[in-house]
């Protein structure tokens, strides 16, 4: 039951991040930290990309570079992740995005998405 609950809250965190709902992101991450002692930003989704909440939010922000909300959501995820040094988001920088040859920072820079690059560099 705990794994299912973790998955539901992780999906909520991803949707909140993509929509820029920073309070909801912080609530979801805080809930998972309190209930499970872990960071849901690194929750592995069972899609073929093997993406996590954070890497999928970064991909979304790259894809919809004209939107400010996903950048705020990514920044909120990174801020929440910084509270737990055991699970610092180094996997974001080693995770190759599906269909590319780079990680989230590479993709944001290649697309000229300066606000996302700044959020990623500042957050990690």
């Amino acid at each position: 039951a705990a794994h299912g609950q973790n998955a539901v809250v992780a999906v909520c965190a991803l949707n909140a991040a993509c929509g820029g709902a920073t309070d909801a992101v912080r609530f979801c991450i805080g809930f998972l930290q309190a209930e499970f002692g872990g960071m849901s930003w690194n929750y592995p989704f069972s899609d073929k990309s093997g993406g996590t909440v954070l890497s999928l939010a970064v991909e979304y922000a790259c894809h919809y570079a004209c939107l400010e909300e996903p950048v705020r959501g990514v920044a909120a995820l990174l801020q929440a992740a910084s509270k737990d040094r055991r699970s610092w988001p180094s996997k974001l920088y080693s995770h190759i995005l599906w269909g590319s040859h780079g990680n989230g920072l590479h993709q944001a820079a290649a697309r000229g998405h300066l606000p996302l690059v700044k959020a990623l560099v500042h957050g990690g």
Side-chain angles (χ1 to χ4, degrees):
H3 178 71
Q5 186 178 14
N6 192 5
V8 168
V9 178
V11 168
C12 290
L14 175 60
N15 286 321
C18 290
T22 57
D23 289 338
V25 168
R26 285 189 285 273
F27 174 81
C28 291
I29 299 300
F31 174 83
L32 286 159
Q33 285 175 319
E35 291 293 315
F36 305 105
M39 292 296 293
S40 67
W41 63 264
N42 200 32
Y43 182 83
F45 285 90
S46 61
D47 65 349
K48 59 186 173 183
S49 72
T52 64
V53 171
L54 185 56
S55 66
L56 292 173
V58 169
E59 281 188 72
Y60 184 88
C62 283
H63 189 71
Y64 296 100
C66 62
L67 301 176
E68 296 174 12
E69 291 82 2
V71 176
R72 286 198 308 264
V74 167
L77 283 169
L78 288 166
Q79 182 182 23
S82 71
K83 294 177 182 175
D84 184 358
R85 294 287 181 189
R86 293 173 296 130
S87 57
W88 189 249
S90 61
K91 289 187 179 180
L92 169 68
Y93 302 111
S94 64
H95 177 78
I96 302 302
L97 297 180
W98 180 254
S100 76
H101 297 288
N103 61 35
L105 184 58
H106 292 135
Q107 288 297 310
R111 293 179 183 208
H113 196 331
L114 186 58
L116 183 58
V117 169
K118 286 180 178 181
L120 291 170
V121 169
H122 182 264

